[in-house]
Amino acid sequence: MTDQTVTSAEMAEDRPMKQALWRGFCRKCPNCGSGPMLKGYLKVRDTCTVCQQDLSHHRADDGPAYLTILIVGHLMAPLLHVMFVNFRPDPLVLATTFTIGCVGLSLYLLPRLKGAVVAFQWARRMHGFDTAN
């Protein structure tokens, strides 16, 4: 066997999912938890600066954007309904505040959800993470 192949014992060893997801949500390396996963706003580093974990195998693609839309929509739509029914604010005020709220929440969640998706892939050994550390 070469050092590139993974034994069945290594494959059976599960990586901690909750810990990896939390580290990813915090935009940290899912392996060590101290190195930054992202460089810039959404660009994933090829390797962790602390533990040298190879992160180039990720395939986050559109998943974080869909999750962001799902979460923001499910939070803001009921809130919009409650605000309109109970307080009847001016439509321009309502549209402005909810536009700012949706954009702000989306910008906050998008990099965190991208980190969580990459960490999920790492924990489940998907897309080439099975041969990584």
Side-chain angles (χ1 to χ4, degrees):
M1 289 173 114
T2 65
D3 30 310
Q4 289 296 326
T5 57
V6 179
T7 65
S8 60
E10 289 173 341
M11 284 299 289
E13 179 184 326
D14 237 4
R15 293 174 176 162
M17 176 64 74
K18 287 182 183 179
Q19 183 182 43
L21 286 176
W22 179 249
R23 288 175 175 176
F25 188 80
C26 293
R27 298 171 295 160
K28 300 293 183 185
C29 171
N31 188 34
C32 67
S34 56
M37 182 189 299
L38 303 175
K39 63 178 176 184
Y41 183 63
L42 287 176
K43 177 81 172 142
V44 178
R45 294 179 186 274
D46 288 334
T47 57
C48 175
T49 57
V50 176
C51 69
Q52 304 307 313
Q53 170 69 48
D54 186 14
L55 299 172
S56 65
H57 302 292
H58 77 89
R59 297 290 174 262
D61 301 327
D62 292 333
Y66 291 134
L67 288 173
T68 301
I69 292 168
L70 181 77
I71 292 170
V72 171
H74 278 84
L75 290 175
M76 297 303 264
L79 188 58
L80 177 66
H81 175 72
V82 167
M83 291 296 293
F84 181 75
V85 168
N86 291 334
F87 301 109
R88 297 282 179 177
D90 184 55
L92 187 58
V93 171
L94 189 67
T96 303
T97 55
F98 274 89
T99 299
I100 293 169
C102 286
V103 169
L105 189 57
S106 296
L107 290 174
Y108 175 78
L109 285 176
L110 188 58
R112 285 156 179 79
L113 290 175
K114 183 161 187 169
V117 167
V118 172
F120 178 82
Q121 292 173 357
W122 175 83
R124 290 291 178 224
R125 299 178 186 270
M126 299 168 67
H127 308 297
F129 281 119
D130 56 343
T131 58
N133 295 342

